[in-house]
Amino acid sequence: MAALARTTVVIGIGNEFRRDDGVGWAAVALLGVRAGRRALPAGTALVRSDGDPGRLIELWENTALAVVVDACFPSPARPGRTHRWSGGAEDGPLRPAGPARHSTHGLGLAEALRLGDSLGRGPGRLVVYAVEGADGSLGTGLTPAVARAVPLLVRRVEEDVVRYGGAAAPGRRSRAGGYAPRGAGAGGP
């Protein structure tokens, strides 16, 4: 696949018709509104995704930075609490969670990341934000606690995009979450 013009992609994963599962899409929408007032770095794309691993890989391939925002539903949950994972040694590995416990998607982000890395199609750097949700049932609108978390989440994403966007040439992530050129011996987590 040819190199893309973008250096950074922010991917909101979710489904706006499953209440708090729409937090990724809500974050991307607010980022778009805020970018109209304070532009994001050149080459930054804001996209929504249903979380399909093949589509995620297409979205983040050949990017220096991919920031992913998704809902999670642990038990017990603290709705609105946000977790950040950047692939650094201090974060530990991104472990797959069973779809019934933590995700409304059939395959999770961890599986997409492993598949992308095994194919040499991972982003240069990956930052993941997971927002604890209260309600993943059918319906529209975020619950109040999750809705209150979105503005702070968006500011944190903006900081990551400014800090890391374009900082590394596209390629495969190293075990520590940094950059390793495509074809290098280091694999993903």
Side-chain angles (χ1 to χ4, degrees):
M1 180 176 201
L4 302 176
R6 65 179 182 236
T7 58
T8 300
V9 62
V10 179
I11 305 168
I13 296 177
N15 181 338
E16 66 186 338
F17 299 109
R18 294 192 61 96
R19 303 282 311 200
D20 289 340
D21 192 41
V23 71
W25 288 20
V28 165
L30 183 55
L31 277 164
V33 169
R34 290 174 58 97
R37 289 177 274 171
R38 179 179 160 216
L40 292 170
T44 301
L46 304 175
V47 297
R48 299 185 320 179
S49 172
D50 62 2
D52 174 78
R55 285 188 284 276
L56 287 173
I57 291 168
E58 278 184 33
L59 290 170
W60 67 41
E61 182 178 26
N62 295 320
T63 61
L65 172 67
V67 179
V68 176
V69 180
D70 197 5
C72 64
F73 296 91
S75 179
R78 285 189 22 212
R81 179 167 61 173
T82 301
H83 305 271
R84 181 183 183 279
W85 182 87
S86 64
E90 69 281 1
D91 293 323
L94 180 62
R95 291 184 177 85
R101 282 190 25 222
H102 297 285
S103 176
T104 60
H105 319 295
L107 291 176
L109 177 60
E111 290 86 2
L113 181 58
R114 279 197 197 94
L115 178 60
D117 280 347
S118 70
L119 297 172
R121 296 176 62 192
R125 175 186 289 269
L126 176 69
V127 176
V128 176
Y129 286 94
V131 181
E132 292 187 25
D135 186 354
S137 67
L138 293 175
T140 57
L142 302 175
T143 59
V146 173
R148 283 191 303 271
V150 173
L152 177 59
L153 167 66
V154 164
R155 285 193 296 276
R156 292 174 69 191
V157 169
E158 288 171 332
E159 290 170 5
D160 280 333
V161 168
V162 169
R163 177 186 232 174
Y164 300 117
R172 287 179 53 195
R173 291 174 312 101
S174 70
R175 291 188 195 284
Y179 172 74
R182 287 199 188 279

